[in-house]
Amino acid sequence: MFALPQIGSLAEALPLTHKDRAPAQRRAKAEGHTVLEKQASGETQTNERQKSYRLHNISVPARPLEPALYLVATPIGNLSDITLRALETLAGADVLACEDTRVTRVLLDRYGIVNRPYAYHEYNANEVGPKLLAALDDGKSVALVSDAGTPLVSDPGYRLGQIAIEAGHRVVPIPGASAPLAALVGSGLPNDAFLFAGFLPSKDKARRDRFAELAHVPATLMFFESPHRIAAAIVAAHDVLGGERRASVCRELTKTFEEFRRGTLAELKAFYDEGATVKGEIVLVIGPPDAPAAPEADDVDAILLKLVKDMPTGKAATEAAKQTGLNRKDLYDRLLELKDRNET
């Protein structure tokens, strides 16, 4: 059984960004001991808690959950961007794991959910992960949330999902808010093909190398970036990808000061070069490269005839496809026509 008194350490919330972690740890530890003492004395009813959530002062009972690991997307800023299914899962889960208990508690309080969150983050994953897996082994329902957005996307939850699958447990995604997708649809850039590339490297050379690796990907690119590095990231993108490439800096999505700054990389570079103060969470979206102009038919024939002098027909067609971007089969058929014409 995943008895809550046995995992008091899960209540020790370790902030991910706070400079002085020790006081927060001591407070969380003291609070955890207090809860455990109350549980031992019968003052709390953890196992008998009311599994419900509140909508406009109406209490809605949560239906029982089947044993599984539930990956629950939470709002990226606006708390109204939560789904009904997510609320029911957060209220009904036997165990609720989160990145930072204080952040998740704000969401739970907003919707009257009394489920107690336990911290699961990169600093305690080795200790807490096996306990969450043990809860699944005991037939419990475990819900996992990150501070904002969809779990497992650029957060340590990936490992928990992986080991749960390897252990044969059911993993259920509860979709919802996603910063990359919100940025994509608000950027005004093509969305028929896109690539989320996570966080950009912090070092300039590594950042430029990353842009160079992705320069010719025929898709819109999306990156997470911090406010104090966005100017350098724009400069690197401008230098590597070219100033005419279109992009959008998407900041504070769904929040009060939401902003989409759109333009070419040259225009964005000029703006951030002026020393603009940037705050908040950022998604950098960069449009795909322009499609190469199709070569003239005569040029294609010349390429094919030159290549076939040094290699077999099939290989010549493959190499021509790489050089021109045209369909290999069409090039192969055209090369056969040219060879027949020359032989006659």
Side-chain angles (χ1 to χ4, degrees), residues 308-320:
V308 81
K309 291 179 181 179
D310 302 317
M311 57 186 71
T313 304
K315 190 173 182 180
T318 299
E319 182 61 28

Side-chain angles (χ1 to χ4, degrees), residues 175-189:
S178 169
L181 290 180
L184 177 66
V185 298
S187 69
L189 296 169

Side-chain angles (χ1 to χ4, degrees), residues 292-307:
E296 297 291 335
D298 291 344
D299 295 335
V300 173
D301 289 350
I303 292 172
L304 288 170
L305 292 173
K306 180 180 179 180
L307 290 172

Side-chain angles (χ1 to χ4, degrees), residues 95-117:
V95 180
L96 173 57
C98 64
E99 196 171 352
D100 188 322
T101 58
R102 295 163 299 175
V103 173
T104 300
R105 176 49 62 193
V106 173
L107 176 65
L108 299 180
D109 289 346
R110 165 71 178 270
Y111 290 100
I113 297 173
V114 298
N115 205 350
R116 176 175 171 74

Side-chain angles (χ1 to χ4, degrees), residues 280-297:
E281 298 175 335
I282 292 172
V283 181
L284 172 61
V285 185
I286 301 176
D290 292 333
E296 297 291 335

Side-chain angles (χ1 to χ4, degrees), residues 24-191:
Q25 285 181 288
R26 287 195 293 269
R27 288 195 302 271
K29 188 172 184 179
E31 292 171 0
H33 288 165
T34 300
V35 170
L36 295 180
E37 290 170 0
K38 289 183 177 180
Q39 289 174 345
S41 65
E43 292 182 39
T44 63
Q45 298 179 350
T46 304
N47 294 327
E48 301 298 330
R49 64 177 175 82
Q50 182 182 4
K51 294 186 176 183
S52 63
Y53 58 94
R54 187 178 65 246
L55 288 177
H56 304 293
N57 295 323
I58 298 175
S59 181
V60 182
R63 292 169 294 183
L65 294 175
E66 296 181 1
L69 173 62
Y70 295 85
L71 307 175
V72 186
T74 54
I76 58 177
N78 191 319
L79 292 183
S80 296
D81 292 337
I82 190 76
T83 69
L84 294 178
R85 189 181 178 201
L87 290 175
E88 185 167 55
T89 304
L90 295 179
D94 296 317
V95 180
L96 173 57
C98 64
E99 196 171 352
D100 188 322
T101 58
R102 295 163 299 175
V103 173
T104 300
R105 176 49 62 193
V106 173
L107 176 65
L108 299 180
D109 289 346
R110 165 71 178 270
Y111 290 100
I113 297 173
V114 298
N115 205 350
R116 176 175 171 74
Y118 292 90
Y120 172 78
H121 45 65
E122 60 181 314
Y123 301 106
N124 71 358
N126 291 336
E127 174 190 358
V128 176
K131 297 178 180 179
L132 297 175
L133 191 62
L136 293 170
D137 291 337
D138 287 341
K140 299 294 185 181
S141 57
V142 177
L144 175 68
V145 300
S146 62
D147 282 351
T150 303
L152 277 64
V153 178
S154 293
D155 74 35
Y158 166 74
R159 180 56 185 155
L160 180 61
Q162 187 180 51
I163 61 177
I165 292 172
E166 291 172 353
H169 294 294
R170 185 182 175 205
V171 174
V172 181
I174 309 296
S178 169
L181 290 180
L184 177 66
V185 298
S187 69
L189 296 169
N191 56 26

Side-chain angles (χ1 to χ4, degrees), residues 241-268:
L241 303 178
E244 294 306 310
R245 195 123 162 203
R246 300 199 65 80
S248 177
V249 176
C250 311
R251 188 178 66 85
E252 291 292 86
L253 294 170
T254 78
K255 301 177 185 177
T256 302
F257 299 103
E258 178 181 87
E259 177 186 59
F260 291 90
R261 187 164 294 278
R262 309 175 182 93
T264 64
L265 285 172
E267 292 168 340
L268 293 174

